[in-house]
Amino acid sequence: MGHQQCDKFDDIVQEVQVFEATKAGIKGLVDSGIKKLPRFCIQQSETSPKNPENGVELPQVPLVDLEGFEDGVRRAKIVEEIRKAAEEWGPFQIINHGVPQDVMDGILQGTKRFHEQPNEAKKELYS
């Protein structure tokens, strides 16, 4: 690794340490009023799509369609898509999962209530 790359790596490591020390998570970043994502939150790749207006990479969370999951061949493909999405991205979106909208709404409301708590309430659960 060149000197400039080492410095950049060290800077990112320091950013992660500061982030972890807050125990406020991503919601804490949003609440702090940041205007752009920290470098440690951005995964660069040669195939990342670019915004035509400014050339900035646009993240595209993988989409996994569960339709046809009962079919063995389709099931194997879906499992591979989930493995790849989780390994390369972490988060991914699932469609055609069959979960009723009212259940999805309840999950989102519960998640929002949790993340809108004061940081002190969430710190003991942070990992």
Side-chain angles (χ1 to χ4, degrees), residues 21-35:
T22 68
K23 298 189 180 214
I26 297 297
K27 177 76 165 77
L29 284 177
V30 172
D31 290 346
S32 74
I34 65 167
K35 299 296 180 203

Side-chain angles (χ1 to χ4, degrees), residues 38-88:
R39 288 177 293 181
F40 69 87
C41 292
I42 301 170
Q43 179 180 357
Q44 301 286 334
S45 80
E46 295 174 13
T47 60
S48 296
K50 304 249 190 269
N51 180 333
E53 292 180 20
N54 60 15
V56 173
E57 292 187 13
L58 299 173
Q60 289 191 325
V61 174
L63 181 68
V64 178
D65 187 348
L66 295 187
E67 188 170 355
F69 188 74
E70 300 81 18
D71 173 44
V73 174
R74 176 76 181 120
R75 181 184 187 115
K77 185 175 185 224
I78 291 170
V79 169
E80 177 58 22
E81 287 175 13
I82 291 171
R83 184 204 59 77
K84 183 178 179 189
E87 184 177 277
E88 294 178 5

Side-chain angles (χ1 to χ4, degrees), residues 7-19 40:
D7 289 344
K8 190 175 185 180
F9 179 76
D10 290 342
D11 290 346
I12 291 172
V13 168
Q14 186 176 6
E15 286 178 10
V16 171
Q17 290 171 340
V18 169
F19 169 77
F40 69 87

